Amino acid sequence: MPPVVFHKGKFMPLADASVGIMTHALHYGTAVFEGIRGNWNAEDEHTYIFRMREHYDRLLAGCKVMRIRLPYSAQELCDITTQMVEKCGYAQDIYIRPIAYKSEERVAILNLDPLASSFSVLAIPFGAYMDLEAAARCCTSSWRRMEDTMIPPYLKISGLYVNSILAKTEAVLAGFDEAILLNQHGYVSEGTGENLFMYRGGKLITPPVEDNALPGITRNTVSDIARNEFGLQVVERHIPRSELYLADEVFLTGTAAHLTPVGSVDNHLISDGNMGPITRQLQTMYFDMVRGKVPKYIHWCTQVATKLVSA
Ligand code: PMP
C-alpha cells in the first residue's frame, strides 16, 4: 500500500501531494512543523503515538506567532493524524511530520497576516536517529542558538532550523556526531534537534528555556520520570560550556533522538566515555513508556490499530 498523507484538506497518496515552487514557505521558511513518533509495539501489534496532543499544542502556538490560521483544533489535528497512521498501516516505528505553512504562491517579503495557510501531515518509517548505545561525540558549535529577539527559539519555526543545520553540518564535517549550541551569553542551550541533560553531583541539570532551549516534550517526559520514578532532583539552571566536561553523565533528548548518551564533548571524555547508569535507567523506562508498556503513563499514548499491511 503506498504511503497516505493528508494534504490540501484530504487524504491522498504521497506521490500526489506537492506544492508549487512559488510557495511562500519554500522561499522564506514561513512554516511551523512538528516531529511526532509512532512507536511500534511488536507484542500487541499496535502503534503508539506519543504525546500527540502536546505536539499539536506546540504547533498551534507556533501558528499563532506566525499568523498561520488553520481550520482545525488541536483535537481535530490529532484525529486527522490518527486516521492517516491507520491508513498507512506501518508495522514498524514511524516519524510523523505535520507542517503548517504559508501556502500563498507569492514571492515577496510581505505582511504574513493575510497570506493563505495550509496544513499537511505525513509519516515515514523511522528507526534510530542517533546511536542509542554508543555514546555520541559532540562538539560545541561556533554557531550560537538563535535569540528570541531574532526568531523565537521556543517554537518549531522552519526558518529557525537553518541555525541547527549549519551547526550540524559544521560538527559532522569536523568528525563529530552532534553539535551543542551555546546562547549569546555563552551558556549551553541544546543540541541541533535535542535538549541536553547533565548528571552532576547527584542532580539532573538541564538549561532553562530562557537559555533559548526548545521546551521539548521528551525533556518534560524525562524530567517527570526522573523525579517521580527514580526520585532524582531535576534542576533547571545555566550550564557553562566547560562544566559539561566535568559532568558524570550527559545525554540528549528529543522525539527523534529519544534519549541519546553523550560520550565526549569537545574531545573531553564524559566519565569513561560510555553510557552512564542514570542515562541507561531513564532510557530503559522511556522506551517501555513510549511503546505503551507502562500503564501509569498510558494516557500519553494514542493507540492505533495498525492493519499490518506494510511491515
Ligand atoms: N530542540 C530542538 C531544536 C528540536 O528540534 C527538538 C525536536 N523537536 C528538540 C529540542 C526536542 O524536542 P521534543 O522532545 O519535543 O521532540
Side-chain angles (χ1 to χ4, degrees), residues 33-36 55 58 95 145 153 156 160-161 164 190-196 213-220 253-258 286:
F33 69 98
E34 272 301 323
I36 311 173
H55 283 282
R58 187 168 66 188
Y95 186 73
R145 174 83 177 154
K156 287 181 71 73
L160 176 67
Y161 278 77
S164 286
E190 58 175 6
T192 62
E194 312 87 24
N195 291 110
L196 180 143
L214 187 82
I217 292 159
T218 320
R219 173 182 181 268
N220 175 270
T253 64
T255 297
H258 292 305
Y286 176 79

Side-chain angles (χ1 to χ4, degrees), residues 91 96 98 105 115 132 170 263 265 288 296:
I96 301 164
E105 300 206 25
L115 298 185
L132 297 164
E170 178 189 57
V265 178
D288 282 345
K296 186 174 168 188

Side-chain angles (χ1 to χ4, degrees), residues 180-243:
I180 295 168
L181 287 97
L182 309 179
N183 68 9
Q184 294 297 334
H185 306 288
Y187 291 120
V188 173
S189 182
E190 58 175 6
T192 62
E194 312 87 24
N195 291 110
L196 180 143
F197 284 86
M198 163 177 92
Y199 183 67
R200 182 162 197 241
K203 291 179 191 155
L204 208 51
I205 303 157
T206 192
V209 166
E210 292 71 28
D211 280 342
N212 308 351
L214 187 82
I217 292 159
T218 320
R219 173 182 181 268
N220 175 270
T221 303
V222 167
S223 297
D224 263 29
I225 52 176
R227 281 195 191 100
N228 300 332
E229 307 304 325
F230 297 102
L232 290 171
Q233 201 182 335
V234 184
V235 179
E236 290 187 21
R237 67 151 169 87
H238 298 313
I239 302 179
R241 163 191 186 159
S242 54
E243 195 186 356

